[in-house]
Short mmCIF file of all heavy atoms in Angstrom, two decimals:
data_model
loop_
_atom_site.label_atom_id
_atom_site.label_comp_id
_atom_site.label_asym_id
_atom_site.label_seq_id
_atom_site.Cartn_x
_atom_site.Cartn_y
_atom_site.Cartn_z
N MET A 252 68.39 95.45 -4.13
CA MET A 252 67.77 96.38 -3.19
C MET A 252 66.29 96.55 -3.49
O MET A 252 65.71 97.55 -3.20
CB MET A 252 68.46 97.74 -3.22
CG MET A 252 68.20 98.59 -4.41
SD MET A 252 68.55 97.83 -5.99
CE MET A 252 70.33 97.69 -5.87
N SER A 253 65.70 95.50 -4.09
CA SER A 253 64.28 95.63 -4.39
C SER A 253 63.51 95.73 -3.09
O SER A 253 63.69 94.91 -2.19
CB SER A 253 63.80 94.42 -5.18
OG SER A 253 63.60 93.33 -4.33
N ALA A 254 62.69 96.73 -3.01
CA ALA A 254 61.92 96.94 -1.79
C ALA A 254 60.78 95.93 -1.73
O ALA A 254 59.76 96.12 -2.34
CB ALA A 254 61.39 98.36 -1.73
N LEU A 267 39.52 97.73 -0.02
CA LEU A 267 39.79 99.11 -0.38
C LEU A 267 38.44 99.79 -0.67
O LEU A 267 37.89 99.65 -1.76
CB LEU A 267 40.71 99.17 -1.61
CG LEU A 267 41.14 100.55 -2.10
CD1 LEU A 267 41.81 101.34 -0.98
CD2 LEU A 267 42.07 100.44 -3.29
N ALA A 275 42.89 92.62 -13.40
CA ALA A 275 44.32 92.67 -13.05
C ALA A 275 45.04 93.65 -13.97
O ALA A 275 45.95 94.36 -13.56
CB ALA A 275 44.94 91.27 -13.16
N LEU A 333 45.34 105.76 1.68
CA LEU A 333 44.86 105.03 0.50
C LEU A 333 43.68 105.75 -0.14
O LEU A 333 43.58 105.82 -1.37
CB LEU A 333 44.45 103.61 0.89
CG LEU A 333 45.59 102.61 1.09
CD1 LEU A 333 45.12 101.42 1.91
CD2 LEU A 333 46.15 102.15 -0.25
N ASP A 340 37.25 109.50 -3.02
CA ASP A 340 36.18 110.47 -2.81
C ASP A 340 35.73 111.08 -4.14
O ASP A 340 34.68 111.70 -4.23
CB ASP A 340 36.64 111.58 -1.86
CG ASP A 340 37.89 112.28 -2.38
OD1 ASP A 340 38.64 111.64 -3.15
OD2 ASP A 340 38.11 113.45 -2.04
N THR A 347 34.44 110.15 -15.90
CA THR A 347 34.70 109.43 -17.15
C THR A 347 33.53 109.57 -18.11
O THR A 347 33.71 109.75 -19.32
CB THR A 347 34.97 107.94 -16.84
OG1 THR A 347 36.04 107.85 -15.89
CG2 THR A 347 35.36 107.19 -18.10
N ASP A 348 32.34 109.52 -17.56
CA ASP A 348 31.16 109.65 -18.40
C ASP A 348 31.06 111.04 -19.03
O ASP A 348 30.43 111.22 -20.07
CB ASP A 348 29.89 109.35 -17.58
CG ASP A 348 28.66 109.30 -18.47
OD1 ASP A 348 28.62 108.44 -19.37
OD2 ASP A 348 27.76 110.16 -18.28
N PRO A 374 51.68 112.23 -3.59
CA PRO A 374 52.32 113.39 -2.95
C PRO A 374 53.02 114.24 -4.01
O PRO A 374 53.74 113.72 -4.86
CB PRO A 374 53.34 112.76 -2.00
CG PRO A 374 52.85 111.38 -1.76
CD PRO A 374 52.15 110.97 -3.02
N VAL A 408 61.06 104.36 7.20
CA VAL A 408 59.66 104.63 7.52
C VAL A 408 59.45 104.32 8.98
O VAL A 408 59.76 103.21 9.43
CB VAL A 408 58.72 103.77 6.65
CG1 VAL A 408 57.28 103.95 7.09
CG2 VAL A 408 58.90 104.12 5.18
N ARG A 416 62.23 102.22 3.43
CA ARG A 416 62.69 103.60 3.39
C ARG A 416 61.82 104.41 2.44
O ARG A 416 61.41 103.94 1.39
CB ARG A 416 64.15 103.68 2.91
CG ARG A 416 65.10 103.26 3.99
CD ARG A 416 66.54 103.31 3.55
NE ARG A 416 67.41 102.93 4.65
CZ ARG A 416 67.85 103.79 5.58
NH1 ARG A 416 67.54 105.06 5.51
NH2 ARG A 416 68.62 103.36 6.56
N THR A 420 63.21 113.52 0.94
CA THR A 420 62.46 114.77 0.77
C THR A 420 63.34 115.74 -0.01
O THR A 420 64.55 115.51 -0.18
CB THR A 420 62.15 115.39 2.14
OG1 THR A 420 63.40 115.72 2.78
CG2 THR A 420 61.37 114.42 3.02
N ALA A 430 77.11 114.31 -7.31
CA ALA A 430 77.75 113.02 -7.60
C ALA A 430 77.00 111.87 -6.93
O ALA A 430 76.84 110.79 -7.51
CB ALA A 430 79.21 113.05 -7.14
N GLY A 438 72.02 109.80 -14.22
CA GLY A 438 72.61 110.37 -15.43
C GLY A 438 72.48 111.88 -15.45
O GLY A 438 72.63 112.54 -14.42
N THR A 447 67.11 121.70 -8.77
CA THR A 447 65.75 121.86 -8.28
C THR A 447 65.70 121.75 -6.76
O THR A 447 65.00 122.52 -6.09
CB THR A 447 64.83 120.79 -8.91
OG1 THR A 447 64.66 121.10 -10.31
CG2 THR A 447 63.46 120.77 -8.26
N THR A 461 52.49 125.82 -4.84
CA THR A 461 52.36 125.45 -6.25
C THR A 461 51.25 124.40 -6.43
O THR A 461 50.48 124.45 -7.38
CB THR A 461 53.69 124.89 -6.78
OG1 THR A 461 54.71 125.86 -6.55
CG2 THR A 461 53.60 124.60 -8.26
N LEU A 464 47.82 126.26 -6.33
CA LEU A 464 47.55 127.35 -7.28
C LEU A 464 46.70 126.86 -8.46
O LEU A 464 46.70 125.68 -8.77
CB LEU A 464 48.90 127.85 -7.83
CG LEU A 464 49.38 129.26 -7.51
CD1 LEU A 464 48.87 129.78 -6.19
CD2 LEU A 464 50.90 129.31 -7.56
N ALA A 469 50.30 127.38 -11.55
CA ALA A 469 51.09 126.26 -11.04
C ALA A 469 52.04 125.76 -12.12
O ALA A 469 53.22 125.50 -11.86
CB ALA A 469 50.17 125.14 -10.58
N LEU A 473 56.20 125.58 -12.18
CA LEU A 473 56.97 124.34 -12.40
C LEU A 473 57.90 124.48 -13.60
O LEU A 473 59.03 123.97 -13.58
CB LEU A 473 56.00 123.17 -12.62
CG LEU A 473 55.26 122.68 -11.38
CD1 LEU A 473 54.22 121.63 -11.75
CD2 LEU A 473 56.24 122.11 -10.35
N LEU A 476 61.51 125.43 -13.17
CA LEU A 476 62.50 124.54 -12.58
C LEU A 476 63.36 123.89 -13.66
O LEU A 476 62.86 123.57 -14.73
CB LEU A 476 61.79 123.43 -11.78
CG LEU A 476 60.98 123.88 -10.57
CD1 LEU A 476 60.19 122.70 -10.00
CD2 LEU A 476 61.88 124.48 -9.50
N GLY A 493 46.07 116.26 -8.92
CA GLY A 493 44.68 116.06 -9.33
C GLY A 493 44.16 117.06 -10.33
O GLY A 493 42.94 117.25 -10.44
N LEU A 495 43.01 117.57 -13.47
CA LEU A 495 42.61 116.72 -14.59
C LEU A 495 42.61 117.45 -15.93
O LEU A 495 42.43 116.83 -16.97
CB LEU A 495 41.24 116.10 -14.32
CG LEU A 495 41.16 115.22 -13.06
CD1 LEU A 495 39.79 114.54 -12.97
CD2 LEU A 495 42.26 114.17 -13.03
N LEU A 508 47.59 110.14 -31.09
CA LEU A 508 46.86 111.20 -31.77
C LEU A 508 47.17 111.19 -33.27
O LEU A 508 46.31 111.45 -34.10
CB LEU A 508 47.17 112.56 -31.15
CG LEU A 508 46.66 112.78 -29.73
CD1 LEU A 508 47.00 114.17 -29.23
CD2 LEU A 508 45.15 112.54 -29.64
N TYR A 512 43.75 109.80 -34.63
CA TYR A 512 43.03 111.06 -34.85
C TYR A 512 43.53 111.77 -36.09
O TYR A 512 43.23 112.95 -36.29
CB TYR A 512 43.15 111.96 -33.61
CG TYR A 512 42.42 111.41 -32.41
CD1 TYR A 512 42.99 110.40 -31.63
CD2 TYR A 512 41.14 111.85 -32.07
CE1 TYR A 512 42.31 109.86 -30.54
CE2 TYR A 512 40.46 111.33 -30.98
CZ TYR A 512 41.05 110.33 -30.22
OH TYR A 512 40.37 109.80 -29.15
N GLN A 524 47.12 121.58 -27.64
CA GLN A 524 45.97 122.46 -27.89
C GLN A 524 44.77 121.64 -28.39
O GLN A 524 43.64 121.86 -27.94
CB GLN A 524 46.37 123.51 -28.93
CG GLN A 524 45.37 124.64 -29.05
CD GLN A 524 45.85 125.75 -29.98
OE1 GLN A 524 47.05 125.83 -30.28
NE2 GLN A 524 44.94 126.58 -30.43
N PRO A 532 37.85 119.92 -20.21
CA PRO A 532 38.50 120.19 -18.92
C PRO A 532 38.97 118.94 -18.18
O PRO A 532 39.65 119.06 -17.17
CB PRO A 532 37.40 120.90 -18.12
CG PRO A 532 36.13 120.51 -18.78
CD PRO A 532 36.43 120.29 -20.22
#
Side-chain angles (χ1 to χ4, degrees):
Chain A
M252 73 305 293
S253 78
L267 182 56
L333 282 161
D340 57 334
T347 305
D348 187 61
V408 174
R416 285 180 179 274
T420 63
T447 290
T461 305
L464 246 29
L473 287 173
L476 296 172
L495 300 186
L508 292 181
Y512 292 80
Q524 192 174 342

